[in-house]
Amino acid sequence: GLKQELFHRHKEAQQCCRPHNLPLLRAAQQREMEAVEQRIREEQRMMDEKIVLELDQKVIDQQSTLEKAGVSGFYITTNPQELTLQMNLLELIRKLQQKESESEKAFS
């Protein structure tokens, strides 16, 4: 939205600009657009970092909960190999739960 608004403002300014000032106006507008794009990239990077930190905290909370529940293989770690192992364990637990649920329905 910000870029679109800036683009429209630039277009209006170019239409009102005298021909001999047009190169200067375009150069200034180009700098302004680059600054806006840089700001957008920085805000996106900061948002991405915030999301990653929130996800990391969710993983730690999940590891802690499962460890406290006594589920084997779960403890707080940031080691990528251990995280992969824990994800695989969760998937196995989910599949076993699903099969158990299906078996209960078959006997009902």
Side-chain angles (χ1 to χ4, degrees):
L2 186 62
K3 279 177 70 173
Q4 221 171 18
E5 179 186 322
L6 188 60
F7 178 76
H8 289 297
R9 233 179 348 116
H10 285 179
K11 192 173 184 176
E12 288 174 8
Q14 287 175 9
Q15 290 172 348
C16 298
C17 184
R18 294 192 174 160
H20 67 280
N21 289 334
L22 198 55
L24 289 173
L25 178 64
R26 285 187 177 149
Q29 289 176 337
Q30 179 65 29
R31 287 191 302 274
E32 186 179 14
M33 185 62 83
E34 288 171 359
V36 166
E37 288 174 351
Q38 177 61 32
R39 180 176 150 209
I40 290 169
R41 282 192 300 272
E42 181 64 22
E43 287 178 8
Q44 183 65 50
R45 185 189 62 75
M46 288 170 44
M47 181 63 82
D48 291 347
E49 286 179 7
K50 181 182 176 210
I51 290 169
V52 167
L53 289 174
E54 288 174 3
L55 287 172
D56 285 347
Q57 186 59 51
K58 295 284 185 196
V59 168
I60 290 169
D61 293 346
Q62 184 181 54
Q63 289 170 333
S64 176
T65 299
L66 291 167
E67 180 181 28
K68 287 175 185 173
V71 180
S72 295
F74 286 91
Y75 50 91
I76 296 174
T77 181
T78 57
N79 179 318
Q81 293 168 329
E82 296 296 324
L83 288 170
T84 300
L85 177 62
Q86 289 181 355
M87 287 172 25
N88 289 335
L89 284 170
L90 279 175
E91 182 64 17
L92 177 63
I93 292 168
R94 187 189 67 78
K95 285 181 178 178
L96 288 172
Q97 178 66 34
Q98 192 175 24
K99 282 188 183 244
E100 182 179 312
S101 181
E102 289 171 4
S103 294
E104 288 174 0
K105 287 179 185 175
F107 290 111
S108 295

